[in-house]
Amino acid sequence: MNKKQIIALAGVLAALVAGCGGGSESTGSAAGSRFASMMSMGAAARPAAPARWANVKIGGGGYVPGLIFHPTSPDVLYARTDMGGAYRWDAANAAWVPITDGFGAAESFYHGSETMALDPNDDNRVYMSTGMYLSDKADARLYISTDRGDNWTYVNLPFSAASNAQGRAVGERLMVDPNNPAILFYATRTTGLWKSADRGQTWQQLTSLSSHKMTNAEIDTAQWRGVVGMEQVIFDTNTKGTGNATQTIYTAVGPDYAAVAGLAYSMYKTTDGGATWTGITTPVTGYYIPHMVRAKDGMMYVAFTQGTGPGASGSARLYKFDGSTWTLLKSYDSSSPGTGYGMGGLSVSGTGATTRIALGVTNSWGNYEGQPIVQLSDNAGTTWREISALAPHFGEQTMWGGWPDDVEIDPNNPERILHVNGGGVWETRNASAAEPTWNFIVKGLEETATLALMASPPGANYQLLNSSGDMGMVVHTELYKAPTRGPKNWFSNSNSSDMAWANPAYIATIGTTTWDHPNVAGAYSTDSGLTWTAFSANHPDGMAHQGGDSTLAVTKPGHIVWAPSDSVPAYTTNSGASWTYTNLPAVEPGTSYRLAADRKNPNRVYAYQGGGGWWRSAPLFYYSTDGGHTFTVSSQFSTLGPRPEFISNTSLAVNANAEGDVWLADSHSIFHSLDGGATWTKLSVTGSIWGDHPTWSWPVVYGATSIALGKAPAGASYSASVYVVGVINGVWGVHRSDDGGATWRRFNDDKHQYGGIGNLAADQTVPGRLFMSGGGRGILFSY
């Protein structure tokens, strides 16, 4: 038996012991001794089975800018998100099915969809444009599926896209010609209107309308670089599949692009397939057109609003347009910019005087009498009634107004109306009722941005602490039920949470303040998250430095070490009544400390200062033996060549079963200490993928960004299973070791990459159970 065969057999036996895991393996220097110990177990070899994954239920949690129905095939419906991938509706199970979970770390920038389009003649064909943020580069992609999103190919687009910028509900920007589906039009944000004649494989700018491509300087003038630009494309036809290109097409342009491109109108029309364009005089100017729709009788319905959205402010107008005459249907006026109601979603069903119109009224916060959220007309806009504000709503969320930026009437069932908001999708199936019933349809749709995770110790009456963006901190007691514990609405973001390991009823968390809790930057619970008390005093820098790099560590009840971003950590021994700075050195802006408490000895606390960026000074590791009051630097750690990086790309974890057993991922490599952080070993197992990036900068894919330790399988040679997100043997993913890092195997597979994997936490009770955050995909766990 040669060395490769021995290593392979060792991996198979390790997988047998673990009980779950993935495919590829690599080995460290201790492969021979680990192999011998596994052979002595006498277990029969079997192939490793891929881990299975499910979402820890939250229920929505993120913004869905667009819903896309197929025009003729019932229940063919998609949802696009701004940074959490895309979903397909599963009518049989009344659930959303994620269709971009195969996107890996190198595709994290493409895990938000700016626009989607369906082929009216082929309900299996889906187009999805991706790219989260604008630039003046050609950095967008078009993903193409011929099996409803089960599999994708992509082409690089000759322009930029911005799924997570202002105006991201505008559109849809991408449309398929119903008569000749090889033709696609794309209304871009910064480079005008584009056309493809070969199903999206190649693209040409329609210079007949505009040839202007915005510069970075021009893009910078927009709020958060959120240029809206060209807004939508409408094919003016009732036919499909004729084989001849549709000749009459409408498009809209926002005032931001119009101003720099020299376009004098808000709407344009072509009657020769895009060869020439004629401006249409609109009844208002200087407004954005978030949506315009065409009824089957050819009538155009056009919403105008002054804000870009999400939740655009007014003033706002809704008109219908018959090709020559504009008729005002609804209006909202604001007293000053940024206030008042705007208009977002717009959908129509039927024709003539009985056309049903559903209109989303934006910036409409609160549910009370007279509040417009979804306005409905059944007589082409002559009269209106509110169908959402005070109607019965069922689901995890208690807010349904504010951001109804897309509203869709089911083209096959006008009683079914859906609208989006900042937390998911609402649906009614009895829109004609005096009080329609609404349900929050988010089963399978998990779109939270997880900032930190912490698994509970054995014996706790909860399973997981979840610190997330926008929703704050929650305590998960059951994995398949939405959480109910936590300091609800106390924090906009929760940056870090921890518990006292020997007394897990004591939990502490820190986060960003909200308008109704303006002085609360941290809180604690003594009853496992049922009730909460705000720190009576904050870290001296806690209010001024609330950034996402902030961390905390709990050593025992009442004893907390808090490291705000860019700040020297401080400790409390009285649950936040007072704080005292540690002796850790000050850091320059953009540099923060990552903290962890030892689980066997509450006097041991660890602090990693990661450098703050690849161009900065080398990282430093510190350890404390007095509960985090004073720290000592590890001089030996620095000799191993850790690389400076943003602290958010690093990870620090402890083995809960052994005092002083510490693991670190510095973005590129794994480091291990067995003496409380005084001395370290660097594992030669991970390697960043640099591609065309110089090795003194940042890689295309980082080699080791998150690490966690959990319950080891029976008979394992090391007291914990170690999991790392990184690149081993050239393959990015989650990798697992049950022998202290000597051998590794991939734990996920190519179908379960979630647009990049962020934070890890490993279960301390169930071997092989790992919690991890996806790229805007909430929290996943293996089972």
Side-chain angles (χ1 to χ4, degrees):
M1 185 177 289
N2 62 34
K3 182 178 180 180
K4 287 186 178 179
Q5 290 172 323
I6 291 173
I7 293 171
L9 180 55
V12 171
L13 291 172
L16 171 67
V17 173
C20 62
S24 60
E25 177 182 323
S26 89
T27 181
S29 60
S33 62
R34 300 304 183 199
F35 171 70
S37 66
M38 287 182 230
M39 287 292 289
S40 68
M41 296 173 196
R46 64 171 175 80
R52 297 178 296 171
W53 299 93
N55 269 105
V56 176
K57 184 173 181 180
I58 296 169
Y63 183 41
V64 180
L67 300 169
I68 302 93
F69 272 105
H70 192 273
T72 56
S73 296
D75 282 320
V76 178
L77 168 65
Y78 295 83
R80 60 178 175 87
T81 76
D82 47 9
M83 53 82 176
Y87 294 81
R88 181 182 66 237
W89 179 248
D90 176 1
N93 294 299
W96 296 98
V97 177
I99 55 176
T100 51
D101 282 353
F103 287 31
E107 295 174 291
S108 59
F109 181 74
Y110 305 104
H111 204 227
S113 175
E114 180 178 76
T115 182
M116 295 181 74
L118 309 182
D119 187 334
N121 300 275
D122 179 358
D123 64 10
N124 289 310
R125 181 174 282 271
V126 187
Y127 298 92
M128 178 177 65
S129 163
T130 65
M132 287 196 189
Y133 303 104
L134 279 180
S135 73
D136 60 352
K137 306 294 192 298
D139 54 10
R141 284 181 181 176
L142 180 68
Y143 284 83
I144 304 167
S145 174
T146 57
D147 55 11
R148 299 190 179 185
D150 286 342
N151 297 280
W152 298 94
T153 59
Y154 74 84
V155 297
N156 293 313
L157 292 170
F159 44 79
S160 187
S163 68
N164 201 25
Q166 296 295 99
R168 52 194 181 271
V170 165
E172 292 295 314
R173 298 174 177 274
L174 178 65
M175 296 296 289
V176 180
D177 188 335
N179 288 303
N180 182 352
I183 295 174
L184 283 70
F185 279 73
Y186 196 127
T188 74
R189 289 178 180 259
T190 61
T191 60
L193 194 62
W194 291 70
K195 177 182 177 180
S196 172
D198 55 8
R199 299 186 187 274
Q201 297 301 308
T202 61
W203 291 83
Q204 296 76 42
Q205 187 184 38
L206 292 180
T207 56
S208 54
L209 179 61
S210 173
S211 61
H212 187 74
K213 298 180 180 180
M214 293 179 70
T215 65
N216 250 329
E218 290 171 332
I219 295 170
D220 277 338
T221 62
Q223 184 184 28
W224 299 312
R225 295 175 63 85
V227 175
V228 174
M230 304 299 298
E231 295 164 318
Q232 196 170 349
V233 175
I234 297 289
F235 293 98
D236 190 11
T237 180
N238 284 332
T239 61
K240 70 173 187 175
T242 65
N244 300 315
T246 301
Q247 296 299 296
T248 302
I249 307 167
Y250 290 87
T251 191
V253 57
D256 43 22
Y257 181 76
V260 297
L263 296 174
Y265 298 90
S266 298
M267 285 179 61
Y268 286 83
K269 177 182 178 180
T270 179
T271 56
D272 53 17
T276 61
W277 295 85
T278 302
I280 297 172
T281 301
T282 53
V284 293
T285 58
Y287 285 57
Y288 293 94
I289 298 176
H291 287 92
M292 58 182 185
V293 294
R294 179 188 183 276
K296 291 183 178 179
D297 58 6
M299 185 69 74
M300 295 283 292
Y301 294 83
V302 185
F304 297 86
T305 197
Q306 287 187 317
T308 60
S313 57
S315 299
R317 302 284 188 271
L318 175 65
Y319 287 86
K320 65 180 179 181
F321 179 58
D322 64 5
S324 59
T325 302
W326 292 90
T327 302
L328 179 64
L329 303 180
K330 199 165 190 61
S331 65
Y332 295 105
D333 289 304
S334 64
S335 57
S336 60
T339 65
Y341 299 139
M343 292 181 184
L346 178 63
S347 188
V348 300
S349 177
T351 60
T354 59
T355 299
R356 167 166 281 187
I357 310 170
L359 173 68
V361 181
T362 53
N363 203 30
S364 50
W365 302 101
N367 316 318
Y368 53 83
E369 186 69 36
Q371 171 80 311
I373 295 175
V374 179
Q375 292 276 293
L376 187 70
S377 174
D378 283 321
N379 51 18
T382 302
T383 60
W384 296 86
R385 66 187 181 95
E386 173 59 34
I387 62 170
S388 175
L390 293 179
H393 284 71
F394 300 93
E396 290 86 354
Q397 284 212 347
T398 57
M399 172 61 70
W400 39 90
W403 288 11
D405 294 313
D406 190 25
V407 177
E408 298 293 336
I409 302 174
D410 186 335
N412 292 285
N413 176 13
E415 285 300 301
R416 183 188 185 196
I417 299 178
L418 296 83
H419 78 83
V420 305
N421 77 340
V425 182
W426 288 94
E427 175 196 64
T428 181
R429 290 179 178 259
N430 61 340
S432 296
E435 278 196 337
T437 300
W438 293 86
N439 291 290
F440 195 47
I441 55 166
V442 292
K443 181 181 177 182
L445 198 161
E446 298 287 348
E447 197 208 344
T448 53
T450 308
L451 304 180
L453 294 172
M454 187 64 69
S456 64
N461 67 5
Y462 57 90
Q463 299 199 49
L464 188 67
L465 304 183
N466 170 8
S467 300
S468 286
D470 296 330
M471 61 177 285
M473 184 270 192
V474 294
V475 180
H476 294 272
T477 58
E478 297 182 66
L479 301 183
Y480 290 107
K481 291 185 179 180
T484 59
R485 298 185 193 179
K488 294 184 179 179
N489 303 317
W490 285 25
F491 305 100
S492 177
N493 298 341
S494 172
N495 296 320
S496 181
S497 303
D498 197 11
M499 76 288 287
W501 200 253
N503 185 358
Y506 188 92
I507 305 170
T509 187
I510 54 174
T512 57
T513 55
T514 60
W515 67 270
D516 54 345
H517 292 83
N519 299 311
V520 179
Y524 68 96
S525 171
T526 59
D527 54 11
S528 299
L530 291 171
T531 61
W532 290 83
T533 303
F535 294 158
S536 56
N538 290 309
H539 182 296
D541 305 309
M543 293 296 292
H545 297 270
Q546 301 181 31
D549 290 337
S550 304
T551 60
L552 90 167
V554 177
T555 60
K556 54 187 175 181
H559 293 244
I560 306 165
V561 187
W562 180 357
S565 60
D566 307 346
S567 303
V568 173
Y571 64 89
T572 180
T573 59
N574 49 24
S575 292
S578 61
W579 296 88
T580 303
Y581 281 114
T582 68
N583 69 329
L584 286 166
V587 292
E588 58 184 306
T591 304
S592 302
Y593 286 97
R594 186 173 290 281
L595 302 174
D598 195 281
R599 299 316 197 186
K600 284 292 187 180
N601 184 347
N603 290 319
R604 290 188 180 272
V605 181
Y606 310 108
Y608 178 62
Q609 194 272 90
W614 51 266
W615 64 93
R616 286 181 161 163
S617 56
L620 296 169
F621 192 89
Y622 301 85
Y623 57 93
S624 171
T625 57
D626 60 3
H629 299 184
T630 61
F631 287 81
T632 302
V633 68
S634 168
S635 56
Q636 185 267 349
F637 174 77
S638 299
T639 67
L640 299 178
R643 297 186 62 136
E645 266 299 345
F646 297 108
I647 200 71
S648 58
N649 290 333
T650 69
S651 182
L652 178 62
V654 298
N655 183 352
N657 305 301
E659 179 180 342
D661 192 341
V662 192
W663 293 74
L664 171 70
D666 75 340
S667 297
H668 304 275
S669 301
I670 302 171
F671 299 81
H672 185 201
S673 173
L674 291 170
D675 58 5
T679 62
W680 293 81
T681 300
K682 182 178 180 180
L683 280 65
S684 299
V685 65
T686 59
S688 298
I689 298 174
W690 293 94
D692 58 355
H693 293 197
T695 55
W696 50 261
S697 63
W698 67 94
V700 175
V701 179
Y702 283 100
T705 56
S706 190
I707 197 163
L709 283 77
K711 176 77 170 178
S717 58
Y718 180 63
S719 60
S721 292
V722 186
Y723 304 87
V724 66
V725 177
V727 180
I728 295 179
N729 282 343
V731 177
W732 176 88
V734 181
H735 303 271
R736 172 179 172 176
S737 174
D738 293 324
D739 53 14
T743 60
W744 297 83
R745 64 193 177 282
R746 192 179 181 195
F747 194 59
N748 69 322
D749 57 32
D750 286 349
K751 284 289 187 180
H752 301 89
Q753 303 188 91
Y754 305 109
I757 296 167
N759 303 286
L760 297 182
D763 196 295
Q764 302 297 317
T765 304
V766 180
R769 177 175 287 172
L770 178 70
F771 302 100
M772 65 186 191
S773 64
R777 274 283 285 116
I779 304 168
L780 294 305
F781 72 96
S782 55
Y783 68 99

